[in-house]
Amino acid sequence: MKPHVTLAMFIAAWLMPMQVMAANEQEHAHVHAKEQAVKPQSDAKKNEEHEKHGENEEHEEHEEHNEHEGHDENDEHEHNETLSSRISDDMATAVNIVTDRADSQLLRQHQVVYGKLSADPNRISHVNARFPGLLTSVKFSLGDSVKAGDVLAVVESNESLNTYAIKAPIDGVVIQRSANVGEIAQQQTLFSIADFGSLWADFRVYPSQQDAVVTGQKVVIMAADTEINGVIAHIIPSLTQPYQLARVKLDNRDGKLSSGQLIEGAVISGEFNVELAVKKSAIQILDNKSGVFVKNNSEYAFTPLQLGRSDMDYVEVIAGLKPGQLYVTTNSYLLKADIEKSEAEHAH
């Protein structure tokens, strides 16, 4: 419902004194002047607060930068510390981490040569029948071991019809058999027997090595993870090959070696003692430095080394290690892998 307006109210509003409106305008002007007086002061305060805020931001940024630099220094410190690994003795035993004491060592200068093993031609015998005849008995097969005097077969002579035995002339192994019961033995080889109790190591010696390899030199031979010492018995020139053969006779009565087996040899050309050496198997590379892991209680610390002369197994230590210090000789790569894993995790 609309509000009720009386005539008196309408007239009073229409006849409102002009001074009332003027008073309102004056009051409005006064308020506006007051606001203008306050505004510069407020703006100045805002500018002051803005500058203060900027200083605070710069200060905080500076502190953050310092913290970042400190963090980088800590990172570098922690990175250096990661070049060691802690492993309990029980765990080291379980993963076969083996240590040895650094000590003096006899090093051997050498020439590496390659070749293979062959049977001694003086210990191979080919057996024939003395007289043609019928084979009535054959007792040994291919691969059987025989002793000198063992009966290999029995033959009935064509001329006398008498039987006679064919016997093994040497101890050895039957490497060939061409004899079966009922066959006729004539001039063919019925059995071949080889004595593998001794073998020859035949090494190829190329022209660039010939001045350093001569008769009478010691040779360390690696065959099937076995190290054998020998002496060059003679050197045979070749008419058709671009190398000579250095021959070394080996004892094989234990039967561990086989004819035809590929081998590696180190012909010793000089020997000398060094005050300190470590095994080559112990050397690892970290941060582009060669070194070993030194054991101190349960800690294994990577120690860079200055290395010198070497032979097949050892390398001379010029600096970085002291005599008597324990260093890892076997499975040192496990420690390297552990450190590299820690560095990778730290990088993330």
Side-chain angles (χ1 to χ4, degrees), residues 273-289:
N273 285 297
V274 295
E275 294 183 0
L276 192 61
V278 295
K279 290 185 177 180
K280 280 186 173 180
S281 61
I283 301 295
Q284 294 292 343
I285 297 177
L286 276 175
D287 287 351
N288 296 320
K289 297 178 182 178

Side-chain angles (χ1 to χ4, degrees), residues 38-302:
V38 174
K39 184 176 181 180
Q41 186 178 2
S42 299
D43 290 342
K45 185 176 182 180
K46 287 181 180 180
N47 291 334
E48 181 181 356
E49 290 177 354
H50 179 72
E51 291 176 357
K52 186 176 181 181
H53 179 67
E55 291 177 356
N56 290 337
E57 285 183 342
E58 182 178 356
H59 179 69
E60 290 174 359
E61 183 177 348
H62 180 68
E63 288 184 347
E64 182 179 355
H65 178 68
N66 290 338
E67 289 176 0
H68 181 69
E69 289 183 346
H71 181 65
D72 289 344
E73 292 177 357
N74 291 335
D75 284 352
E76 183 178 356
H77 178 67
E78 291 174 4
H79 174 71
N80 292 333
E81 288 183 345
T82 58
L83 294 181
S84 65
S85 181
R86 290 187 176 274
I87 302 178
S88 67
D89 290 342
D90 291 340
M91 178 61 70
T93 300
V95 298
N96 195 32
I97 292 177
V98 181
T99 60
D100 197 1
R101 292 192 181 277
D103 204 349
S104 61
Q105 186 65 39
L106 174 67
L107 300 185
R108 296 172 169 178
Q109 292 177 329
H110 63 280
Q111 287 283 331
V112 177
V113 289
Y114 299 93
K116 67 178 181 178
L117 300 179
S118 61
D120 186 346
N122 296 326
R123 299 298 297 169
I124 298 177
S125 181
H126 303 289
V127 182
N128 300 50
R130 292 181 60 191
F131 308 103
L134 180 67
L135 287 166
T136 60
S137 175
V138 179
K139 296 185 177 180
F140 289 95
S141 299
L142 189 67
D144 287 344
S145 296
V146 298
K147 296 290 186 181
D150 285 347
V151 176
L152 302 176
V154 176
V155 178
E156 183 183 273
S157 174
N158 287 341
E159 295 182 2
S160 65
L161 299 182
N162 293 326
T163 60
Y164 66 91
I166 300 176
K167 297 182 180 180
I170 61 172
D171 296 349
V173 177
V174 177
I175 59 172
Q176 180 183 351
R177 169 182 152 169
S178 299
N180 292 304
V181 173
E183 294 179 342
I184 299 299
Q186 296 186 11
Q187 297 302 315
Q188 78 271 28
T189 297
L190 299 177
F191 297 91
S192 292
I193 300 171
D195 179 7
F196 295 109
S198 63
L199 296 174
W200 283 95
D202 297 325
F203 292 106
R204 299 184 299 274
V205 181
Y206 291 93
S208 61
Q209 301 173 304
Q210 289 174 7
D211 291 341
V213 180
V214 297
T215 301
Q217 283 180 304
K218 297 178 181 178
V219 184
V220 180
I221 301 168
M222 292 301 300
D225 297 328
T226 301
E227 186 175 295
I228 306 167
N229 294 313
V231 176
I232 297 177
H234 42 260
I235 295 178
I236 304 174
S238 175
L239 297 176
T240 60
Q241 301 296 333
Y243 52 77
Q244 297 177 342
L245 284 181
R247 308 200 75 207
V248 181
K249 193 170 186 178
L250 303 179
D251 186 342
N252 189 42
R253 285 174 291 183
D254 57 8
K256 292 183 178 180
L257 303 174
S258 301
S259 179
Q261 185 175 340
L262 299 179
I263 53 174
E264 177 182 339
V267 180
I268 308 303
S269 56
E271 296 180 337
F272 50 90
N273 285 297
V274 295
E275 294 183 0
L276 192 61
V278 295
K279 290 185 177 180
K280 280 186 173 180
S281 61
I283 301 295
Q284 294 292 343
I285 297 177
L286 276 175
D287 287 351
N288 296 320
K289 297 178 182 178
S290 297
V292 296
F293 286 94
V294 175
K295 184 179 187 299
N296 184 16
N297 296 323
S298 62
E299 183 178 11
Y300 296 83
F302 180 74

Side-chain angles (χ1 to χ4, degrees), residues 342-348:
S342 298
E343 288 183 332
E345 291 175 350
H346 180 76
H348 290 293

